[in-house]
Amino acid sequence: MARTAVAYSNLVPNGDLADPAGTATNAGAGNGHVIPTAGPNGKAVPELTLLRVTAGSTGGNVTVLAGDNPPALASGLGNLVVNVGNNATRWIGPFESGRFLQNDGTILVDIATGFVAGTITAFKVPRNT
């Protein structure tokens, strides 16, 4: 199964944003999600990216995968693993490019196999706030 792309919801400087529904979680290692390229030079901007992960009746671990070296010179620090409890919401990020950026300019996120009926939303913080 392929990774599911999670489109950015852009936070608005000096404004507001209606709460987006998010993308349904796609569970299983290697079958999770990809945060697409959306920044300057055609790359994701980990330092300006926040993830909101909401679990349904069964939570579990959400893993932001370490990037490729290069460009992620600190990828040796490993993955970031966050546990999201049943019916809970966790905000994760922002992230370091030097640890999490993949060589194709994306960010990869895996969701635990037993994670049931959750959502993931990627927010991009504007640079001009």
Side-chain angles (χ1 to χ4, degrees):
M1 188 178 221
R3 290 186 177 275
T4 301
V6 178
Y8 277 104
S9 294
N10 294 314
L11 296 174
V12 181
N14 305 311
D16 67 290
L17 173 70
D19 192 17
T23 302
T25 53
N26 183 13
N31 295 323
H33 300 277
V34 58
I35 311 302
T37 58
N41 303 322
K43 296 184 177 184
V45 185
E47 288 81 4
L48 301 176
T49 300
L50 296 170
L51 299 179
R52 181 187 66 201
V53 181
T54 302
S57 59
T58 305
N61 287 339
V62 173
T63 304
V64 181
L65 300 178
D68 295 316
N69 183 358
L73 300 178
S75 62
L77 293 172
N79 300 334
L80 171 64
V81 180
V82 175
N83 184 271
V84 181
N86 301 355
N87 300 306
T89 298
R90 298 293 295 197
W91 287 82
I92 308 168
F95 308 98
E96 296 176 70
S97 295
R99 181 173 173 189
F100 297 105
L101 192 64
Q102 302 297 317
N103 62 10
D104 64 356
T106 62
I107 302 169
L108 301 179
V109 181
D110 281 348
I111 306 292
T113 301
F115 206 95
V116 177
T119 60
I120 182 170
T121 309
F123 291 93
K124 186 165 57 169
V125 178
R127 289 181 182 251
N128 58 346
T129 55

